[in-house]
Amino acid sequence: MQEKIKNYQTLRRFLAAGFFVSGIIPILIIAAGSIYNFKELSLKNIENTARQVVEHRNDVLNTFLQAQVNFLSTLINLYPIDYLKNRDNLKALFLAISREGKEGEIVDLQLIDTSGAQLAYIGPYQEKVEGKHYKDSPWFSQVLVRGTHVSDVFTGYRDYPHFVIALTDPLKTYVLRATINSSIFNSLLYSAQIGPTGDAFILNSNGEFQTPSLQRATSLNPTEIKMLKHHPDTEVASDGTHLYASKWLNGNMWLLVVKTRITDNLEVYANYRTRIILTVLVISALFLLFSVGISRLIVARLERTDREQNALDQQMAHIDEADHKARGQFDLRVILHAPEQLHGRLGILHGVHRLHRLGTGTLRLAVLPLSFKLLNVGRVPQHDAAQLGRGLGGIDPAPEAVAHQQRQLACVVDMRMGHQHAVNFTRCHREGLVLVNI
């Protein structure tokens, strides 16, 4: 019994596990696919955002630089060199720039001849640049060749990081140079920061910082170094932790890099993932309860069926035992007959259901499954010695005398119900003796 209980418990666990696994696996696949697709979509959005930011900041920076170039070009076109060499005139122009709201963008103005000698200067670094010569400066040779030049950031005579914009007149007889306020220029990158740990900076072709990193980085990682290779459009790269977007500006002299940590921009994805996980957990719990319940129901029905079958087997076992007892309690009856009657007697015996050749007995009929109530036919008496002559339900009288019928094969079988051991002589028309159970 204990083994059966254990088997039922094992079956119940297997059914519950099977229902749960078969139901939860599709849900997990759908949930995982949904989370994966949403993450890919979020990463694509981050990439598009970084691309848009770097392109927008690139346009802003180029516009700012071009505005300074246009302003200096206007001064050169409006005023001859003799006018600009006068310090008072140059100072008036510088103050006019300040009154027009240009203060802060241009730090100083400087007029230099083609030999590199300084002709005039207006600005806060008068003492540091007084009498200096720029013939050997890299930016000076570049402006004479190109006509316009925006330098890299350098310290120079000022001992302060800055960059300059220089232009020559059409005849290249002098150079007008303006120092750009690095603080204002650097502030143009503040809005390029994406996320709390995002970064943005400008590099030259040698990988040197032209603007300070927003995260105070002082060196480049391998991904940033790979991005120094010239590319015409916006390039996006990732190292698994950060996403980078870069684009060249200032005539492909500077590289603008926007950097963002991926996890800082996945807040929406994280919330979506949390909701999906909670939903899956709730569905899993409900499906587990359903699996346990349906497995218990199935096993309970199996147990009930087994109990009914066991009860039926036990009842059939009792019936079979009673049948064996009946077989063992056969009454031995001796029937005398003539040799010529043997064949007929055996034929009768063969024709009577469940009657043994050497004796008679009562065999029980099992009708338990359908609960039928049947009469018990004890035996079919066989008599060759006499016949009943017309009784209730009898037959017509025999044409031969009883004496002539002795030791002949009987033509009538008398079937009786219940305990009728007497012959009803009141309905007989002939005297005779019926021998029963001899």
Side-chain angles (χ1 to χ4, degrees):
M1 187 64 180
Q2 294 297 329
E3 184 178 357
K4 277 192 173 183
I5 295 176
K6 185 177 180 181
N7 291 337
Y8 286 137
Q9 293 175 350
T10 302
L11 178 60
R12 185 162 49 244
R13 285 194 294 267
F14 273 116
L15 287 176
F19 286 133
F20 179 76
V21 171
S22 61
I24 203 63
I25 285 179
I27 297 176
L28 291 177
I29 293 175
I30 294 173
S34 177
I35 292 175
Y36 174 80
N37 291 333
F38 196 87
K39 183 177 182 180
E40 291 297 315
L41 181 61
S42 299
L43 293 176
K44 191 66 177 179
N45 290 336
I46 297 173
E47 179 180 332
N48 292 336
T49 300
R51 188 186 298 273
Q52 293 173 0
V53 168
V54 76
E55 290 177 352
H56 180 264
R57 289 295 93 187
N58 185 282
D59 293 340
V60 170
L61 293 171
N62 279 327
T63 300
F64 176 85
L65 294 175
Q66 189 61 42
Q68 310 312 315
V69 171
N70 292 339
F71 175 73
L72 295 179
S73 178
T74 300
L75 292 180
I76 291 175
N77 293 330
L78 291 177
Y79 303 101
I81 187 173
D82 294 335
Y83 181 85
L84 296 176
K85 283 195 304 184
N86 187 306
R87 190 174 183 279
D88 293 335
N89 293 337
L90 190 62
K91 182 178 180 179
L93 290 176
F94 183 75
L95 293 176
I97 294 171
S98 300
R99 284 196 298 270
E100 291 176 3
K102 299 293 183 179
E103 183 179 8
E105 295 181 2
I106 295 179
V107 177
D108 57 20
L109 287 174
Q110 196 170 15
L111 189 67
I112 304 170
D113 63 16
T114 54
S115 65
Q118 180 176 276
L119 300 177
Y121 174 83
I122 296 297
Y125 300 100
Q126 179 70 41
E127 296 180 357
K128 292 185 177 182
V129 300
E130 185 72 27
K132 300 298 180 181
H133 203 280
Y134 298 95
K135 182 178 181 179
D136 297 329
S137 297
W139 65 266
F140 187 75
S141 59
Q142 290 290 333
V143 71
L144 291 178
V145 172
R146 299 180 181 180
T148 302
H149 179 67
V150 179
S151 72
D152 289 339
V153 174
F154 64 101
T155 56
Y157 296 120
R158 295 170 176 78
D159 296 328
Y160 179 83
H162 64 284
F163 71 97
V164 299
I165 297 177
L167 285 78
T168 63
D169 64 317
L171 299 178
K172 294 185 179 182
T173 57
Y174 67 92
V175 174
L176 181 61
R177 190 187 87 156
T179 302
I180 305 302
N181 191 330
S182 297
S183 298
I184 294 178
F185 183 75
N186 295 342
S187 66
L188 298 177
L189 295 180
Y190 293 161
S191 60
Q193 184 177 11
I194 303 176
T197 60
D199 200 358
F201 47 85
I202 295 176
L203 303 172
N204 62 13
S205 57
N206 296 323
E208 298 171 342
F209 285 91
Q210 301 303 297
T211 60
S213 167
L214 299 181
Q215 299 299 328
R216 303 181 184 276
T218 57
S219 60
L220 303 178
N221 59 38
T223 304
E224 294 166 348
I225 293 175
K226 291 179 180 179
M227 300 183 74
L228 291 174
K229 184 179 179 180
H230 284 275
H231 45 272
D233 299 320
T234 303
E235 183 179 80
V236 178
S238 175
D239 59 4
T241 303
H242 295 86
L243 187 139
Y244 305 83
S246 63
K247 188 172 184 179
W248 289 93
L249 58 84
N250 187 25
N252 292 333
M253 298 299 295
W254 292 346
L255 178 66
L256 172 62
V257 177
V258 173
K259 174 182 177 181
T260 180
R261 186 185 295 273
I262 295 176
T263 54
D264 292 343
N265 300 275
L266 293 178
E267 182 178 358
V268 176
Y269 160 74
N271 294 334
Y272 176 81
R273 181 183 60 186
T274 301
R275 290 195 298 270
I276 291 294
I277 292 175
L278 290 177
T279 302
V280 170
L281 290 177
V282 172
I283 294 176
S284 300
L286 294 177
F287 204 82
L288 180 60
L289 293 177
F290 170 79
S291 301
V292 172
I294 195 68
S295 63
R296 287 179 178 273
L297 179 62
I298 293 174
V299 174
R301 290 189 176 183
L302 290 176
E303 288 179 340
R304 184 169 64 251
T305 303
D306 287 347
R307 286 195 300 269
E308 293 176 353
Q309 185 63 40
N310 290 336
L312 180 60
D313 292 343
Q314 291 176 1
Q315 293 179 4
M316 294 298 293
H318 291 309
I319 293 174
D320 187 65
E321 181 181 357
D323 184 52
H324 282 293
K325 289 181 178 180
R327 290 174 184 268
Q329 294 176 356
F330 286 152
D331 296 332
L332 182 60
R333 310 293 173 86
V334 178
I335 301 176
L336 301 178
H337 53 76
E340 62 272 13
Q341 293 176 321
L342 177 61
H343 177 73
R345 175 163 179 79
L346 293 179
I348 293 177
L349 293 178
H350 281 297
V352 179
H353 180 60
R354 297 187 64 82
L355 186 61
H356 294 269
R357 296 185 178 183
L358 298 179
T360 61
T362 301
L363 301 180
R364 298 193 179 185
L365 178 64
V367 291
L368 177 64
L370 298 179
S371 300
F372 287 131
K373 304 299 183 179
L374 301 180
L375 295 176
N376 182 18
V377 180
R379 64 181 60 86
V380 179
Q382 304 156 52
H383 49 89
D384 297 330
Q387 296 178 339
L388 286 176
R390 190 186 298 274
L392 183 62
I395 62 173
D396 292 334
E400 293 182 303
V402 175
H404 292 169
Q405 296 176 14
Q406 294 299 320
R407 305 185 64 81
Q408 294 182 5
L409 188 63
C411 295
V412 176
V413 176
D414 180 24
M415 297 183 65
R416 296 180 288 120
M417 294 292 185
H419 300 277
Q420 295 180 359
H421 300 292
V423 178
N424 185 3
F425 291 102
T426 60
R427 300 290 294 180
C428 292
H429 295 276
R430 294 186 59 184
E431 293 182 357
L433 180 61
V434 177
L435 301 179
V436 180
N437 293 333
I438 297 176

